[in-house]
Amino acid sequence: MAAAPPPEPLLVVTGPTASGKTAFALELAARTGREILSMDSMAVYRRMDIGTAKPSAADRARAPHHLIDLVEPHEDFDTARWCAAAADALADLGRRGKGALFVGGTPLYLMAFFKGMLESPPGDPKLRADLAAREAAQPGVLHAELLQRDPAAAARIHPKDLRRLVRAHEVLQQTGQTISSQQRHFDRADWARPCRIAVVERDRDELHARVKARTAQMLADGLLAETEAIERVGGFSRTAGAAIGYAECRDFLRGRYKDPLELRNRIRRNTHQLIRRQTTWLRRLPDVARVPAANGVDAVAAALGLG
């Protein structure tokens, strides 16, 4: 009996924020009849539209989108839930005979889905609250301690990234092992799910110029009002509230910035830091096609074997 043919590789378009990956992916999906599976950790939240650059109604008319608007901003949502939702969406596409195109810039979603989920302990709300309270009472303490106990993780986590700092300490206290040691399987060469990945790249100055324009547009489109509306009805979970754009708007509404100019500059600065973290992750990916954005959508198509 002949062996079953290997599965066709899943197609992925990724890249840092403001690289232009979403526009390229939308064009490819429209050309090929594929449906888009969003790989964006903040697009899962309903009503968080402006700050996540969620696809417009016109975009969704060109190509169906999945894995967006899954939960309310006050709800908890994590990588495991996204991976389960992605597997369900992929199975549905298979039943309907439709191809998938994964698109997004959340490296942890990409790594967890295509290399396999980490075996890590569940969240402990009391421990998380205690750690957050320690950080609030003594800013910088969690990063300083992590630097001593898990320097590899400390090097990857920004000192103000409370969510990731708390998780690193939570894993340490619950398992006695560092989170960086548990993440080493992400560095293996193989993929749990066969895939073909195109990373859209731009140089630093171009990315910064695009972030500048994007931030100004989001604020002009009403990002602050969108944040206020969510705060009035349900508020934000710890994860949703840390989203760049919304976190700064929440600080502005609490009077922590002197004027809208500082708000704008904080969003831009924190977006640049996010891009650096995304780029670090993406540089670790093996066997991917790195496509300069200037080469256009046809180059992305060729990298994915759609040419």
Side-chain angles (χ1 to χ4, degrees), residues 208 211-212 215-216 263-273:
H208 282 202
V211 167
K212 181 178 180 180
T215 303
L263 169 62
R264 184 201 69 184
N265 290 340
R266 292 273 184 159
I267 294 173
R268 284 166 52 182
R269 184 196 69 183
N270 291 339
T271 305
H272 295 160
Q273 292 172 347

Side-chain angles (χ1 to χ4, degrees), residues 26 54-65:
L26 181 62
K54 213 171 275 180
S56 66
D59 292 338
R60 299 185 205 195
R62 291 187 71 197
H65 286 64

Side-chain angles (χ1 to χ4, degrees), residues 16 48 73 151 226 241 280:
M48 291 173 60
E226 185 174 83
T280 298

